[in-house]
Amino acid sequence: MRITVLSGGIGGARFIEGLKAALGPDDEITVIANTADDIWLFGLRICPDLDTVMYTLGNGIDPERRWGRTDESWQVKEELAAYGAEPTWFGLGDRDLATHIIRTQMLHEGKTLSQATARLTQRWDTGVTLLPMSDDFVETHIAIDGDSGREVIHFQEYWIRLRASVPVREVIAQGAETAAPAPGVVEAILGADVVILPPSNPIVSVGTILSVRGIRDAVLATKAPVVGVSPIIGAGAVRGMADQLLQGLGIEISAASVGLHYGSRRDGGVLDAWLVDTADAGAVATLEAAGVAAEAVPLYMNDAVTTRQLAVDTLSLARRIGAPAH
Ligand code: FO1
């Protein structure tokens, strides 16, 4: 079976761990990772979601932070701060730096982000094909109400320095309108047996992947069932800051509203089915009425067993709805 997953960082990576555990040797997983979290820092191109997926699936991720490397040290970060070099709010780890240096070196040699990703993943036995959503630079910037009116900052500054604590006025996926899908991305969606939207952030992770022209079209056109997993359980985001972003954009913070935000493929949306947590079983009827098949199953990925089970539930829902009749 060919499974294609449109993934952000932490939630998506964990889900894919479960997917790997639920599949067999004849199954192939292609991960299309969000690159709009990416940022230039100290002349280096940093790709948080690509790296989080690569380190998580390659067992190099720090288990507490769920980003960056295990056994990390921060000597370079401290030296940069000693020089008064800004920003000091970004967690630049010594081991992590090697990844950014190799990627940046390849970009300067004229290689693409896809080529750099292929080279980096040779070291990490991820068990999947990891593709950036685009080789063109797309960056999510957030408009907030600053001291002197509207201020636009990089998503990383909003998320790390401000801890997503200020209201969002607008989310801008800078460059998305001219970015092209990276090589293999459209084929991975059109040729999949199942396409999955994991519990990543629907606005700044899956949303930005779908904002790349050609990727949304491929999801609309694929013969594969498209199944999503809610990142919201009850009244809040499981992790990350989906709730603050949704609130800022006037989207109600609930499993149903995120599913309806993605919309049914029958009506031009991207979903055929949506998994909600057992706590949100009441949302199933609303979703079904909107043309999105839905099931309520345990969504918390607490450990390997529950994470694998969530992947099994996702695949069985995909099988149940089968290739849509559209
Ligand atoms: N997240 C933080 O909350 N604080 C950090 O200092 C931080 C540094 C960092 C460095 C490399 C990397 O790959 C990820 C990093 N993240 C950090 C996570 C990053 O902000 C991701 O964009 C989020 O996890 C959202 O996907």
Side-chain angles (χ1 to χ4, degrees):
M1 206 166 29
R2 286 192 62 186
I3 318 277
T4 296
V5 187
L6 276 56
S7 178
I10 297 171
R14 295 206 77 162
F15 177 83
I16 298 161
E17 281 187 302
L19 201 54
K20 279 174 65 177
L23 291 173
D26 303 337
D27 301 313
E28 282 172 55
I29 302 173
T30 301
V31 180
I32 297 167
N34 172 46
T35 58
D37 277 9
D38 297 3
I39 184 169
W40 284 109
L41 278 181
F42 307 109
L44 297 169
R45 190 67 181 168
I46 294 172
C47 302
D49 284 348
L50 277 169
D51 293 348
T52 298
V53 173
M54 181 171 74
Y55 292 154
T56 301
L57 300 184
N59 294 316
I61 198 87
D62 179 85
E64 271 72 50
R65 291 193 308 272
R66 307 294 305 175
W67 55 263
R69 291 276 290 110
T70 48
D71 311 321
E72 187 56 285
S73 55
W74 313 93
Q75 310 286 315
V76 173
K77 182 175 188 294
E78 286 158 21
E79 286 299 297
L80 286 165
Y83 277 114
E86 286 296 336
T88 53
W89 45 263
F90 191 84
L92 208 50
D94 297 325
R95 290 179 184 275
D96 195 28
L97 266 172
T99 300
H100 312 318
I101 290 168
I102 287 181
R103 177 187 296 123
T104 306
Q105 185 183 29
M106 288 183 72
L107 291 174
H108 285 321
E109 288 164 0
K111 302 282 194 322
T112 62
L113 183 55
S114 295
Q115 289 169 319
T117 305
R119 188 250 183 274
L120 290 166
T121 48
Q122 280 166 4
R123 170 186 173 190
W124 302 95
D125 183 15
T126 62
V128 306
T129 301
L130 178 58
L131 304 174
M133 68 185 196
S134 174
D135 282 341
D136 302 310
F137 292 143
V138 180
E139 283 193 11
T140 298
H141 291 178
I142 306 284
I144 60 172
D145 289 338
D147 305 338
S148 52
R150 175 185 158 99
E151 192 183 339
V152 178
I153 58 174
H154 191 286
F155 165 74
Q156 293 299 339
E157 182 172 2
Y158 169 75
W159 168 233
I160 300 173
R161 189 173 67 79
L162 299 182
R163 300 306 315 149
S165 60
V166 298
V168 169
R169 291 288 166 258
E170 190 187 353
V171 175
I172 303 145
Q174 193 183 63
E177 64 288 338
T178 52
V185 163
V186 169
E187 296 76 9
I189 296 169
L190 294 179
D193 296 303
V194 182
V195 173
I196 299 174
L197 307 187
S200 292
N201 189 295
I203 307 297
V204 293
S205 295
V206 178
T208 37
I209 298 173
L210 291 170
S211 73
V212 174
R213 294 167 60 87
I215 295 182
R216 173 182 286 272
D217 299 345
V219 173
L220 291 176
T222 184
K223 293 284 174 287
V226 181
V227 183
V229 181
S230 177
I232 303 282
I233 295 180
V238 177
R239 188 191 168 108
M241 77 330 273
D243 25 12
Q244 287 99 313
L245 281 161
L246 289 167
Q247 199 145 37
L249 300 177
I251 301 169
E252 183 203 308
I253 301 170
S254 71
S257 69
V258 176
L260 297 175
H261 171 69
Y262 280 130
S264 164
R265 267 206 303 177
R266 182 195 70 185
D267 307 331
V270 293
L271 282 182
D272 296 316
W274 185 243
L275 277 172
V276 300
D277 188 70
T278 44
D280 299 306
V284 170
T286 312
L287 289 153
E288 295 270 351
V292 179
E295 267 178 28
V297 300
L299 291 193
Y300 277 110
M301 299 184 280
N302 308 312
D303 54 25
V305 172
T306 48
T307 304
R308 179 186 182 283
Q309 187 54 48
L310 176 54
V312 167
D313 292 344
T314 306
L315 293 172
S316 62
L317 178 52
R319 246 190 310 281
R320 178 164 75 81
I321 61 169
H326 78 291

